[in-house]
C-alpha cells in the first residue's frame, strides 16, 4: 500500500510518497506546470500507475478562517478531475484487478511555512528552498494524513 501526497502550486506541483507501511512520507519530486496545475494530471496519473498508489492526498488551501476561497475551490476541482480520469482509466483497463485509488483533500494551511522551517532546520540555504519547497509541502500534507490515520 502506497499513498501519494500532492501540493498544488502555480509554478510546481510537489509530490510525496509514503512507505508501504504508511509510516513515513518522503519527497518524490516536482512537476513544473507554468501557471496551470491542471497540466499535471497526466504526470500524476503516471506516478499513480508506476508506484501502485492506493490513496491520493491533495492539499486543500483553506483561508486562515477555515473558509474555502478561490484556491481551495480550484484544488477541489483538480481533485474531482483526477477522480474522473482515474475512473475513466479503470473503465478502459482490461485488468479486473485495477483498484481505483481513493482521492482525499486535507487542510494544508501553513504547510508551506512548515516546509520552509523544516528546510531551514536541515541547513538548506533559504535561496535554495524554492525548487524543493513544493515537494516538502507535499511531504507535510502526506505525513499529516498518515499520522491522522494511525491515530484513529
Amino acid at each position: 500500500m502506497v499513498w501519494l501526497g500532492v501540493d498544488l502550486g502555480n509554478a510546481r506541483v510537489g509530490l510525496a510518497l509514503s512507505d508501504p507501511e504508511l509510516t513515513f512520507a518522503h519527497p518524490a519530486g516536482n512537476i513544473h506546470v507554468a501557471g496551470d496545475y491542471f497540466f499535471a494530471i497526466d504526470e500524476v496519473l503516471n506516478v499513480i500507475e508506476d508506484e501502485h498508489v492506493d490513496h491520493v492526498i491533495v492539499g486543500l488551501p483553506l483561508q486562515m478562517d477555515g473558509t474555502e476561497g478561490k484556491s481551495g475551490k480550484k484544488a477541489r476541482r483538480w481533485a474531482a478531475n483526477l477522480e474522473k480520469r482515474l475512473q475513466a482509466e479503470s473503465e478502459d483497463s482490461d485488468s479486473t484487478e485495477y483498484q481505483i485509488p481513493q482521492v482525499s483533500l486535507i487542510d494544508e494551511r501553513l504547510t508551506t511555512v512548515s516546509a520552509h522551517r523544516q528546510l531551514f532546520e536541515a541547513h538548506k540555504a533559504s535561496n535554495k528552498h524554492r525548487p524543493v519547497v513544493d515537494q516538502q509541502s507535499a511531504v507535510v500534507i502526506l505525513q499529516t494524513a498518515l499520522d491522522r490515520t494511525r491515530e484513529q
Side-chain angles (χ1 to χ4, degrees):
M1 184 172 267
V2 174
W3 287 15
L4 174 68
V6 180
D7 177 57
L8 300 170
N10 289 326
R12 288 171 297 279
V13 171
L15 303 178
L17 289 166
S18 74
D19 62 327
E21 293 77 31
L22 303 180
T23 307
F24 296 107
H26 59 87
N30 289 318
I31 301 169
H32 294 276
V33 293
D36 188 351
Y37 49 70
F38 282 88
F39 290 127
I41 288 182
D42 286 336
E43 288 189 53
V44 169
L45 288 168
N46 289 339
V47 171
I48 290 169
E49 184 179 341
D50 293 347
E51 300 295 335
H52 308 289
V53 171
D54 300 288
H55 196 148
V56 180
I57 307 293
V58 179
L60 179 63
L62 297 176
Q63 297 182 44
M64 291 311 290
D65 66 0
T67 60
E68 195 171 293
K70 185 178 173 183
S71 294
K73 287 177 174 68
K74 191 173 176 186
R76 196 173 289 284
R77 278 195 321 273
W78 189 91
N81 270 325
L82 179 63
E83 285 181 310
K84 287 177 191 168
R85 292 283 305 275
L86 287 165
Q87 184 68 40
E89 293 216 356
S90 169
E91 291 168 3
D92 291 345
S93 175
D94 293 336
S95 173
T96 56
E97 299 169 18
Y98 183 78
Q99 282 288 340
I100 300 172
Q102 182 179 349
V103 177
S104 301
L105 293 154
I106 187 171
D107 179 0
E108 71 160 39
R109 280 178 289 182
L110 302 177
T111 56
T112 301
V113 172
S114 178
H116 277 291
R117 187 179 66 246
Q118 289 173 359
L119 292 168
F120 179 77
E121 289 170 357
H123 304 290
K124 187 96 167 156
S126 59
N127 62 346
K128 305 278 192 217
H129 287 193
R130 181 164 285 181
V132 295
V133 74
D134 297 293
Q135 61 186 315
Q136 188 61 35
S137 293
V139 167
V140 173
I141 290 165
L142 180 55
Q143 191 65 55
T144 300
L146 296 171
D147 293 346
R148 286 182 185 167
T149 298
R150 274 197 310 280
E151 291 168 4
Q152 292 177 352

